[in-house]
């Protein structure tokens, strides 16, 4: 399996399948937020949910992480996917997207 990262990563909108290795779609992230972080979900716009997904896949340079099947199975078996992504969106929102963008710009300049 693969996992894709990019400095301008965009979260899939859910209208088409982006392929293997991409972030879950905005509608799926929204559902997980509704189920696990309801109060936060009610405050976030669709663009903010999309940003929360995108920042989980932003890196200074385009990167593809290639994993063997047994590595993917081990990772999937150790986490509750919905909880993980909902928590990540909350933490990224609390950090502030402007600060995240500034940090990414600094990393890209290195």
């Amino acid at each position: 399996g693969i996992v894709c990262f990019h400095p301008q990563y965009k979260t899939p909108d859910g209208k088409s399948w982006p392929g293997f290795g991409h972030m879950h779609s905005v509608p799926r992230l929204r559902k997980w937020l509704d189920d696990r972080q309801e109060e936060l979900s009610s405050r976030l716009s669709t663009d903010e949910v999309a940003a929360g997904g995108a920042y989980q896949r932003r890196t200074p340079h385009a990167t593809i992480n290639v994993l063997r099947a047994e590595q993917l199975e081990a990772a999937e078996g150790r986490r509750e996917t919905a909880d993980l992504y909902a928590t990540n969106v909350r933490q990224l929102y609390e950090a502030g997207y402007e600060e995240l963008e500034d940090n990414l710009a600094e990393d890209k300049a290195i």
Side-chain angles (χ1 to χ4, degrees):
I2 62 170
V3 182
C4 302
F5 300 88
H6 193 275
Q8 296 174 337
Y9 192 89
K10 303 267 190 242
T11 304
D13 62 13
K15 295 177 182 169
S16 63
W17 187 66
F20 291 109
H22 287 279
M23 173 55 62
H24 296 283
S25 68
V26 173
R28 180 168 289 174
L29 292 173
R30 173 67 77 185
K31 180 185 181 327
W32 288 339
L33 282 167
D34 287 346
D35 292 347
R36 288 161 172 80
Q37 306 270 338
E38 185 177 1
E39 191 274 326
L40 174 63
S41 186
S42 69
R43 289 187 290 143
L44 294 179
S45 69
T46 299
D47 288 344
E48 289 171 320
V49 172
Y55 276 100
Q56 294 179 62
R57 295 293 180 91
R58 290 205 174 161
T59 54
H61 306 284
T63 304
I64 297 176
N65 186 3
V66 180
L67 301 169
R68 295 187 313 267
E70 59 269 16
Q71 291 172 309
L72 288 170
E73 289 173 15
E76 288 297 325
R78 291 185 190 151
R79 71 177 191 201
E80 171 57 43
T81 300
D83 287 336
L84 174 74
Y85 286 103
T87 298
N88 286 351
V89 170
R90 179 182 50 79
Q91 290 175 337
L92 291 163
Y93 174 75
E94 289 172 354
Y97 297 124
E98 187 174 311
E99 181 177 340
L100 294 170
E101 192 64 30
D102 290 346
N103 291 342
L104 180 61
E106 288 176 18
D107 288 346
K108 286 167 48 176
I110 295 175

